[in-house]
Amino acid sequence: VSADPDCLFCKIVAREIPGDVVRETESTLAFRDIEPQAPSHVLVVPKDHLASAAEVAEADASLLALMVTEAAAVAETDGVDGYRLVFNTGAAANQTVFHAHLHMLGGRRMGWPPG
Ligand code: 5GP
Ligand code: ZN
């Protein structure tokens, strides 16, 4: 597993800093967002340090698919009616942590278009 010693999400994956982990597979970790934007707000990350969804897809397409099915499983466990999946990509789109993460947001009416 490749890790970046300066990366926040690599540290959560390594359990060097605490995360409210809700699901785990051999290659993914799902944990609750520290600043939830919805009643259910979980981040699904690859354990490997990959910067973006496109990098995940390029490295291993099935890993990207697993991130989606893991997000769906969390939504099911949390009992949300519907949910939104988001990859913020690039600083201009509000990506603040450059370790790929899929946001799963649910439990409230999700507006469209997003702000
Ligand atoms: P981004 O803006 O990069 O798409 O999302 C980063 C997310 O990580 C934000 O929603 C932010 O609240 C969350 N976050 C930042 N620091 C931590 C942390 O230390 N723990 C957890 N669980 N989430 C964090
Ligand atoms: Zn990382």
Side-chain angles (χ1 to χ4, degrees), residues 2-4 7-11 46-50 98-100:
S2 60
D4 175 341
C7 170
L8 176 65
F9 289 171
C10 283
K11 289 176 186 165
K47 288 186 174 176
D48 282 337
H49 182 80
L50 296 158
F98 290 84
H99 178 135

Side-chain angles (χ1 to χ4, degrees), residues 8-9 12 17-20 31-37 41 43 87-88 93-98 101 103:
L8 176 65
F9 289 171
I12 291 177
I17 66 168
D20 186 356
F31 51 92
R32 296 199 185 277
D33 197 292
I34 205 167
E35 211 176 295
Q37 303 301 315
H41 186 177
L43 304 174
F87 281 110
N88 293 325
N94 263 307
Q95 185 176 7
T96 58
V97 180
F98 290 84
H101 49 281
H103 293 261

Side-chain angles (χ1 to χ4, degrees), residues 16-62:
E16 285 165 19
I17 66 168
D20 186 356
V21 172
V22 291
R23 281 183 72 87
E24 181 169 19
T25 70
E26 205 175 297
S27 54
T28 64
L29 191 71
F31 51 92
R32 296 199 185 277
D33 197 292
I34 205 167
E35 211 176 295
Q37 303 301 315
S40 174
H41 186 177
V42 169
L43 304 174
V44 183
V45 306
K47 288 186 174 176
D48 282 337
H49 182 80
L50 296 158
S52 67
E55 278 194 19
V56 175
E58 208 170 310
D60 180 356
S62 71

